[in-house]
Amino acid sequence: MTTMSITIVQATVADAPKVALLFNAYRVFYEQESDLALAEAFLSARLTHEQSIIFFAQNDSGEVLGFTQLYPTFSSISAQNSWILNDLFVTQAARGQGIGRQLLDKARGFAEATFSEGITLETAVDNHTAQSLYESSGYQRETAFYTYHLSLEDVTV
């Protein structure tokens, strides 16, 4: 049995179409309608306008197996930049091979290289697999703050 090596690559605009396949699957996982054109347009816009950093994992054949997307933010308390790890997804067939951890490690290295205060992420309360991965990678569950969200679709004036 041969083992394929996995390479983690920082995406450029030219990579948007192949990463969009996984981004679309990620959105479907979170109960959104499949829309590959929307996925590609969204990623292309983020990369074109340098609004996010995307790392993706690929095997020797160039097959994209997972990705993570980071958005920049700032900490007023520490007066430093920080990153929001908004998306992390590995294909069903590639899970259990350490790809998620490799993507987290790449994100951490990037945050360190950009002299950032840290990385923040959220996951569903019932996503125990992801929670285990995050905690084993050094992430600590926040207990001092509550998270609130205002959905503008729900606001009536």
Side-chain angles (χ1 to χ4, degrees), residues 75-98:
S75 169
S76 298
I77 303 301
S78 69
Q80 291 179 278
N81 64 314
S82 188
W83 294 94
I84 297 170
L85 192 150
N86 204 71
D87 313 312
L88 178 68
F89 183 78
V90 176
T91 63
Q92 185 70 36
R95 291 182 187 160
Q97 299 178 33

Side-chain angles (χ1 to χ4, degrees), residues 106-136:
K106 188 70 169 184
R108 180 186 182 136
F110 177 79
E112 290 171 345
T114 57
F115 304 101
S116 300
E117 178 271 333
I119 301 172
T120 301
L121 61 82
E122 295 179 349
T123 192
V125 295
D126 62 349
N127 193 342
H128 302 291
T129 302
Q131 292 168 26
S132 177
L133 172 62
Y134 299 143
E135 290 171 12
S136 70

